[in-house]
Amino acid sequence: MPTPRHIGFIVNPKLKDAFSVAESAAAWLDGRGLTSSVAIADVPTDEPTPPSVALRPCAAVVAEADVLVVLGGDGTLLGVARTAGSDKVPILAVNMGNLGFLTAFTRDEMENALERVLHGDYET
């Protein structure tokens, strides 16, 4: 698998700490010479966006990403999969909620999972 150069984060803004997890991961990727961008999942919300997060439209993040990291739950993952459609962008699903049948990783496992992705150690 080719090494990804741009990681897109899709965040469910209703979930506690989702933006801070995206910010930390983006800084971690930046230290490795990779770029990233953040979008809010297409869910209605009145939650404020942290000023340190530069948001892009979800469809734009999907279009430019080599890999998507979805920070949410199963519903967020399914919504992003619909948005990604047939673009065939690999999705790393991180469970930010409590249950999560479809989201494969917890926030504590995300850095290790990203490291594996960066080394091409993943399947689609």
Side-chain angles (χ1 to χ4, degrees):
M1 305 259 172
T3 302
R5 301 302 309 154
H6 186 89
I7 310 296
F9 290 91
I10 310 293
V11 176
N12 182 332
K14 293 181 178 181
L15 298 175
K16 184 181 180 194
D17 299 328
F19 281 115
S20 64
V21 170
E23 286 178 297
S24 295
W28 184 82
L29 290 166
D30 187 53
R32 285 156 179 75
L34 299 165
T35 60
S36 62
S37 56
V38 179
I40 293 178
D42 295 326
V43 296
T45 183
D46 293 329
E47 297 296 318
T49 302
S52 59
V53 176
L55 292 176
R56 312 255 340 270
C58 192
V61 170
V62 169
E64 70 190 10
D66 299 315
V67 173
L68 292 170
V69 177
V70 176
L71 300 171
D74 292 346
T76 308
L77 171 61
L78 291 171
V80 171
R82 277 191 294 273
T83 301
S86 62
D87 287 346
K88 298 184 182 179
V89 179
I91 298 173
L92 177 68
V94 179
N95 184 13
M96 297 293 293
N98 295 319
L99 193 51
F101 290 106
L102 301 175
T103 49
F105 300 96
T106 66
R107 70 179 86 189
D108 295 333
E109 298 168 324
M110 182 178 67
E111 190 174 298
N112 185 39
L114 276 171
E115 188 73 48
R116 288 180 53 200
V117 167
L118 297 180
H119 288 95
D121 182 18
Y122 65 95
E123 295 178 16
T124 57

